[in-house]
Amino acid sequence: MNKFKLISGILITITTVAVIVVMWNMAALYRSIKERTLDTVRECAINSDLLEMISRMESSENASESFIRLNDFIELAQQQDGLIANADTLNISLQYLMRVGLEFAESHPKTDFNALDSIFTEELHRHGLYPAKALIRPYGSTPPADNDYWSTECGTVAGNPPIYMAYVSPLPGNVLSRMWGIIWPLVMVIITFTTLSAYLIRHVNRLRTIEQMKDDFTHNMTHELKTPVAVAYSAADSMLRYYDHSDEARNKQLIKIILQRLSYLAGMIENILSMSMERFKTLQLDMQTIQLKPLVKEVAGMIELKSNKPVTIDILIPDTLTVYADPAHLGNILSNLLDNAVKYSNESVHIIISADSRTISVTDNGIGIAKDHIPHIFEKFYRINSGDRYEVGGYGLGLYYVKQILDLFGWRAEVTGSPGHGTKFTILIS
């Protein structure tokens, strides 16, 4: 078990570290994709600026003059500055030249930011970006009142100061959608690992419980076997050493003791064998309609007879009440319940057995059962130990047998009780 804990701890630690590293890398990837998204936003802002300037030039009274000046500047740039050296820089160069050309058009209107924002939004949509808000403002101006924006600087020529600031509402969904191919396998791995870990821990805890129950069963069985064996051994030894032909009564008493103890051992072995699941699978029930009250009286009489403490059993069952069950196994069920009521009681026992067409109840004034034990009392080998482990005989199979037979009947059992206030077992007939 210690080795298992060590290996499990190492594996869980390694897996946890691996997940942390992956999450850190995913955060870095998120930032990288966000930056690329802002590059797209910047490109859209530059294109929007170009389209807005063309729109102003077309609507201007000096449109023809502006285009003539623009053409002159383009030719000059090609000859001297080489600003339009290739197609990749065409948009930026055109923006720069148009802006300079427009400055010469003294009566040309200034930038229409409402139109620019509208064009900017359309450009973002064309590139697959759908922010709730998108706007462009002059560089250095007061930012929007709502600070919940992604922002980027926009210029025309590298090395020159920015002209605009582009603002868009956060687009985490867009970024995460591009990471989805990495996110969902990681989520599946985490869920699988967590589920397997929880299952493993639960399974190990159950194995530990079963191991403890097995140990308890071994100790209990040892105790249960030692007493009848010791009694039978003593009786046999007495007959062997001190056999008296003239004392027939003594000899018969010793033989009777030996037979009783051997019978007890045989019954114990049969009970243990009867707990085998294979036996339950092949068990043939003799189901029949039986009078319940006579059966209960017979079982109650045997319990009162063998008890070593005062036992009072009240039977509150209609004389005509019948049930459809196997009489032998139903008698064993009642015997187990009554035997437990006697075992787990104080100096005197008062038991009430009541029944109707739907239920059979066994109520006692014993020591009771704590609430946290109730869900487990029908488990195989489960015993409630308080103080001395062996103060009450048994090996944790009686109620397990009750549960298995009730399942075969198609019936159920409910248990209520509390420490010091007795216990009530209710069989629900269906």
Side-chain angles (χ1 to χ4, degrees):
M1 186 62 70
N2 290 333
K3 184 178 180 181
F4 173 81
K5 289 181 178 179
L6 177 62
I7 295 174
S8 299
I10 292 173
L11 291 177
I12 291 174
T13 301
I14 292 174
T15 305
T16 302
V17 171
V19 170
I20 292 174
V21 171
V22 171
M23 295 296 290
W24 184 85
N25 287 329
M26 286 188 64
L29 178 62
Y30 179 90
R31 292 191 294 270
S32 175
I33 295 177
K34 177 182 176 180
E35 191 58 41
R36 290 201 295 271
T37 302
L38 287 175
D39 289 341
T40 303
V41 171
R42 189 180 301 110
E43 179 184 346
C44 291
I46 293 173
N47 290 341
S48 301
D49 184 35
L50 173 61
L51 294 172
E52 191 274 335
M53 283 192 291
I54 292 175
S55 176
R56 279 191 287 136
M57 290 178 65
E58 289 177 343
S59 61
S60 173
E61 295 178 355
N62 301 320
S64 58
E65 179 181 353
S66 298
F67 278 107
I68 292 173
R69 290 182 179 277
L70 174 62
N71 184 64
D72 291 340
F73 274 98
I74 291 175
E75 291 179 355
L76 179 62
Q78 287 176 322
Q79 295 172 6
Q80 297 182 4
D81 299 329
L83 289 174
I84 312 179
N86 54 64
D88 293 337
T89 60
L90 177 61
N91 278 359
I92 294 177
S93 300
L94 281 174
Q95 283 179 288
Y96 173 72
L97 294 171
M98 288 175 66
R99 189 174 300 285
V100 175
L102 286 171
E103 289 175 357
F104 281 86
E106 297 177 357
S107 61
H108 201 282
K110 301 298 181 181
T111 301
D112 184 351
F113 282 98
N114 289 331
L116 181 58
D117 292 345
S118 178
I119 296 171
F120 181 38
T121 300
E122 292 178 1
E123 280 293 298
L124 291 171
H125 291 177
R126 193 168 65 84
H127 284 77
L129 302 178
Y130 299 91
K133 295 180 181 179
L135 47 91
I136 297 176
R137 293 294 179 266
Y139 182 77
S141 64
T142 304
D146 185 358
N147 293 325
D148 188 23
Y149 282 100
W150 289 358
S151 62
T152 181
E153 300 174 349
C154 304
T156 53
V157 178
N160 286 357
I163 299 174
Y164 296 127
M165 287 293 295
Y167 299 93
V168 295
S169 299
L171 296 165
N174 178 268
V175 176
L176 292 175
S177 66
R178 297 168 68 179
M179 299 174 61
W180 186 242
I182 300 175
I183 292 175
W184 78 262
L186 178 62
V187 171
M188 292 300 296
V189 169
I190 293 174
I191 292 175
T192 302
F193 174 74
T194 303
T195 303
L196 289 176
S197 298
Y199 172 79
L200 184 61
I201 292 172
R202 180 181 177 185
H203 186 66
V204 170
N205 287 336
R206 181 171 177 80
L207 288 178
R208 293 179 63 184
T209 301
I210 292 175
E211 183 178 359
Q212 182 62 46
M213 291 166 63
K214 181 199 70 174
D215 292 341
D216 289 345
F217 171 74
T218 302
H219 290 302
N220 294 333
M221 281 301 302
T222 302
H223 176 75
E224 290 289 308
L225 290 170
K226 283 172 63 177
T227 301
V229 167
V231 173
Y233 178 84
S234 298
D237 183 67
S238 179
M239 287 192 67
L240 180 63
R241 290 175 178 272
Y242 309 106
Y243 186 77
D244 187 353
H245 293 279
S246 62
D247 194 349
E248 190 66 23
R250 173 178 175 276
N251 295 336
K252 288 183 177 180
Q253 180 64 26
L254 291 174
I255 293 174
K256 183 178 179 181
I257 292 173
I258 294 173
L259 289 176
Q260 286 178 340
R261 295 302 93 188
L262 291 176
S263 176
Y264 178 81
L265 288 173
M268 184 182 299
I269 293 171
E270 182 60 29
N271 283 337
I272 295 172
L273 291 176
S274 70
M275 296 303 107
S276 167
M277 290 304 296
E278 294 300 323
R279 290 281 298 272
F280 277 117
K281 290 178 182 177
T282 58
L283 183 63
Q284 297 294 321
L285 296 176
D286 181 20
M287 301 295 288
Q288 55 186 276
T289 301
I290 57 176
Q291 294 285 335
L292 182 59
K293 190 169 185 177
L295 177 63
V296 172
K297 281 187 174 182
E298 181 182 351
V299 174
M302 289 189 296
I303 295 297
E304 290 175 334
L305 184 63
K306 74 174 185 178
S307 176
N308 58 358
K309 63 176 74 173
V311 176
T312 301
I313 301 178
D314 295 334
I315 300 175
L316 308 179
I317 300 175
D319 294 336
T320 58
L321 182 63
T322 61
V323 293
Y324 187 70
D326 183 308
H329 287 290
L330 180 56
N332 290 338
I333 288 173
L334 294 171
S335 178
N336 272 290
L337 296 181
L338 294 176
D339 189 51
N340 282 343
V342 173
K343 285 181 179 179
Y344 297 95
S345 63
N346 298 311
E347 295 303 320
S348 62
V349 191
H350 182 206
I351 303 172
I352 299 175
I353 305 175
S354 59
D356 55 34
S357 60
R358 292 184 174 272
T359 63
I360 302 173
S361 299
V362 177
T363 307
D364 63 61
N365 63 339
I367 62 176
I369 304 176
K371 186 177 181 180
D372 55 340
H373 287 296
I374 290 178
H376 306 288
I377 60 175
F378 292 105
E379 295 176 4
K380 199 172 187 178
F381 305 137
Y382 189 87
R383 295 188 70 234
I384 302 173
N385 298 315
S386 58
D388 183 3
R389 181 192 302 272
Y390 309 116
E391 63 180 4
V392 176
Y395 30 88
L397 293 176
L399 291 180
Y400 174 77
Y401 167 83
V402 169
K403 175 68 166 57
Q404 299 303 314
I405 297 299
L406 288 179
D407 287 343
L408 292 178
F409 283 1
W411 299 359
R412 294 186 299 111
E414 292 182 350
V415 184
T416 57
S418 59
H421 295 87
T423 306
K424 180 179 181 179
F425 283 83
T426 302
I427 298 173
L428 305 177
I429 302 172
S430 57

